[in-house]
Amino acid sequence: MPRSSPAPHSTRRHWIAWPPSTRPGGTEEATTTGTTTTATAKHSWILYGALLVVFWGVWGAFSNEPHARFGYPDGMVYVIWSLTMLVPAFFALRGHRFDRRPVAATYGLLAGLTGAGGQLLLFNALANRPAYLIFPVVSLSPAVTVLTALAFLRERIGRLAVVGLVAALAAIVLLSIPAGGGGSAASGPWLVMAIIVCVAWGAQAYFMRKAATLGVNDATTFGWMTISGLLLIPVAFVMMGGFPGNAPWQAPALTAGTQVLNAIGALFLVMALSRGKATVVSPVTNALAPVLTVILSLAVYRTLPSALGGIGIVLALAGSTLMVYSDEKRGEETVTAGAEAGVSESRWGRRSPSRRHLHLWAVGHRSAGHPRR
């Protein structure tokens, strides 16, 4: 009696299914596409970092106008700045869920208090010593961010990025030294306050990045930062000794126009740090924003940078380019490795099949009625 033909569909369960890539709607293409999409989202920090540089660069060029024209006190500048934070906070929170978890409030408040508290302490330090002594110390805050990110966030940077980091930090210090400095450089309370500001602002960027790694959205972090700034308004009035009522209306109006640029830039900083590594975002943005400020000052005020400032511009551009290039290169290598791993997993599961697995698959395949070839 001739052997009957095998049934077209066997009811016996196979030990291993056919590879997903051979079925319609397999996961091979989806895995590769998902990896590419994730990498694209990760590197979108460059867009927000560029916007940050633009807003902070323009703000830096005109931030001294209220004091230079009207003698507006720094305390009122802080008060108006904290109020202008409400503008970007309103647009950031529209359509976004406010994260009510305690961890979101903790890191949001830490980011806000270190930033706003450092600003108030800086005003106090500037009242005791000139800016050319204080700003070089404060400008080292990205170094604090890099160290904390390497230690606590386990971020890693390549050798090329290390060279760029050193150049960027040197540029930040050189660009923060005003021309025509002189006078006593003796240490004192101002030095302690400058170091505290440096640590506070460096920790602020770390707290922003940490919040993002814990799943806190940008709008929530910036919302808590806005609340932190508003909470410290009474401290600013105490430092001023009251409300200055003799200033013309142009002073607060000009202050609001310049400080809203600062506030929007702070939002872009949060967005950049949630998408990029703190070891790259913080040094790059802090190095490039003063470069734009110097260029605008040259165009508007006809003010040439000092020799140190010129060297700082070159170092800032070179260092930032090296860091961005190194980060992009490492990202491309990660995408390539992830895509290859995704294709492999889509075909055979989490691991490549062993010889025993292939043998069991072949046995089950034949037992279902498929003849040996």
Side-chain angles (χ1 to χ4, degrees), residues 77-373:
V77 173
Y78 172 85
V79 171
I80 295 178
W81 164 77
S82 61
L83 294 175
T84 59
M85 289 279 286
L86 293 169
V87 177
F90 170 77
F91 289 100
L93 288 169
R94 289 184 61 184
H96 291 83
R97 179 183 59 85
F98 191 83
D99 195 336
R100 300 181 184 276
R101 292 180 298 163
V103 66
T106 299
Y107 284 102
L109 287 173
L110 285 174
L113 292 175
T114 49
Q119 186 67 53
L120 287 175
L121 197 59
L122 177 63
F123 290 153
N124 194 7
L126 290 172
N128 295 279
R129 277 292 185 274
Y132 73 89
L133 294 176
I134 296 174
F135 280 118
V137 179
V138 175
S139 64
L140 291 174
S141 60
V144 178
T145 303
V146 171
L147 292 176
T148 53
L150 292 174
F152 302 112
L153 297 178
R154 304 300 183 187
E155 293 187 1
R156 295 294 180 264
I157 54 177
R159 296 180 180 179
L160 195 62
V162 171
V163 177
L165 172 63
V166 174
L169 292 176
I172 294 171
V173 175
L174 293 176
L175 289 170
S176 65
I177 301 177
S184 174
S187 61
W190 69 268
L191 180 59
V192 176
M193 288 186 287
I195 294 176
I196 294 176
V197 174
C198 173
V199 174
W201 284 358
Q204 180 192 32
Y206 163 76
F207 292 138
M208 292 179 185
R209 178 58 185 164
K210 180 64 177 179
T213 60
L214 295 175
V216 183
N217 59 61
D218 302 336
T220 300
T221 300
F222 192 77
W224 283 115
M225 290 173 57
T226 303
I227 294 173
S228 303
L230 296 174
L231 289 176
L232 294 182
I233 287 180
V235 179
F237 281 115
V238 171
M239 293 175 59
M240 288 187 296
F243 181 80
N246 56 350
W249 66 268
Q250 293 91 338
L254 183 59
T255 302
T258 55
Q259 292 302 318
V260 73
L261 300 174
N262 186 11
I264 296 175
L267 174 60
F268 286 135
L269 176 61
V270 174
M271 300 176 73
L273 284 170
S274 69
R275 292 160 175 80
K277 295 189 296 186
T279 49
V280 176
V281 176
S282 181
V284 168
T285 54
N286 279 276
L288 292 181
V291 173
L292 180 58
T293 298
V294 171
I295 295 175
L296 290 176
S297 298
L298 175 62
V300 176
Y301 303 111
R302 301 292 191 269
T303 302
L304 291 174
S306 62
L308 294 178
I311 298 174
I313 292 176
V314 175
L315 289 176
L317 296 176
S320 301
T321 301
L322 288 176
M323 295 191 72
V324 173
Y325 172 77
S326 177
D327 185 60
E328 287 290 315
K329 185 177 180 181
R330 289 172 65 90
E332 291 176 358
E333 294 174 353
T334 303
V335 170
T336 303
E340 293 176 354
V343 171
S344 177
E345 289 183 5
S346 68
R347 290 180 175 176
W348 297 106
R350 300 181 65 89
R351 296 180 299 178
S352 298
S354 64
R355 295 179 62 183
R356 181 174 180 272
H357 293 164
L358 291 175
H359 173 71
L360 292 174
W361 176 82
V363 171
H365 185 60
R366 290 197 302 271
S367 64
H370 299 279
R372 182 192 299 269
R373 293 185 179 180

